[in-house]
Amino acid sequence: MAALTDDIYNIFSKMIDHYHPDKDSVNNSCQEFCVFVKFNISKKGKLSNIAYTKTTPVFVQQALIKAFKAIEPLATIRVSGTLATRTYILPLQLTHNEGCGLQYGSWPSPEDEKLTEEMKQVYKDRQLRFSHSPESIWNITNFTDGRKDVVDCILLSPFQSGGIIF
């Protein structure tokens, strides 16, 4: 099992390196959220049947799909026996705070003085909605593959992206 999880985390580490969401979307995103990635492993050791928590923002899904396609030719997972027939779910913690503005206790700063009252309110509203992780947890069995039932799976330890990446 150790080789299997090492391979999975190695693949997701490479995937994060290739994760480049649309810059305009990131610049308007003020979110910390958890995407549950559901997948199987083929007999050849490739990720298959990949699905994401249905509430994942579209720009994030698109970036993850591109990232998986970029690493797919190189990614191989050592799997054997009954582990090859299982479904896996990996919680992927992502943070996009580029669009928060007025963040990190910087209110007010010299740059903020140039903002209109309307823009200040937009930033405040974004910061109030920053954490979307609870929404993801409530939707842990609601994936993009359309299945909403209980998932018989191996739940992996969470993988965290770190800060903003684009």
Side-chain angles (χ1 to χ4, degrees):
M1 183 79 161
L4 170 73
T5 54
D6 288 347
D7 288 349
I8 289 171
Y9 289 115
N10 187 25
I11 285 171
F12 275 87
S13 178
K14 288 178 181 164
M15 188 271 310
I16 288 296
D17 291 342
H18 288 84
Y19 173 74
H20 303 293
D22 175 69
K23 187 174 180 177
D24 288 338
S25 296
V26 172
N27 285 340
N28 290 308
S29 179
C30 180
Q31 301 179 65
E32 178 181 71
F33 50 96
C34 183
V35 176
F36 290 94
V37 182
K38 181 172 81 167
F39 60 92
N40 297 103
I41 303 169
S42 74
K43 291 178 182 176
K44 293 181 180 180
K46 302 290 185 183
L47 297 178
S48 63
N49 303 320
I50 300 169
Y52 308 95
T53 314
K54 200 165 190 170
T55 55
T56 303
V58 173
F59 79 95
V60 173
Q61 279 187 42
Q62 291 170 346
L64 289 172
I65 290 167
K66 285 180 189 174
F68 276 121
K69 285 184 181 176
I71 65 163
E72 189 174 26
L74 307 172
T76 303
I77 299 172
R78 296 167 284 175
V79 64
S80 61
T82 58
L83 293 176
T85 62
R86 299 299 305 269
T87 297
Y88 296 85
I89 294 180
L90 177 74
L92 178 59
Q93 187 74 32
L94 296 170
T95 303
H96 290 282
N97 55 12
E98 187 69 14
C100 294
L102 314 175
Q103 59 198 5
Y104 308 117
S106 65
W107 178 274
S109 74
E111 296 82 32
D112 298 337
E113 298 304 321
K114 299 173 189 169
L115 296 174
T116 65
E117 288 303 314
E118 183 180 350
M119 280 309 297
K120 287 179 185 178
Q121 189 59 49
V122 166
Y123 287 138
K124 285 180 185 178
D125 291 346
R126 284 182 185 172
Q127 288 171 327
L128 289 174
R129 296 187 319 264
F130 181 71
S131 178
H132 290 254
S133 293
E135 182 179 316
S136 299
I137 292 168
W138 283 110
N139 288 295
I140 191 170
T141 59
N142 189 6
F143 286 91
T144 54
D145 61 1
R147 298 199 54 185
K148 293 183 181 180
D149 54 354
V150 175
V151 180
D152 179 19
C153 69
I154 295 174
L155 181 62
L156 300 163
S157 296
F159 190 87
Q160 191 169 23
S161 73
I164 334 159
I165 34 185
F166 57 93

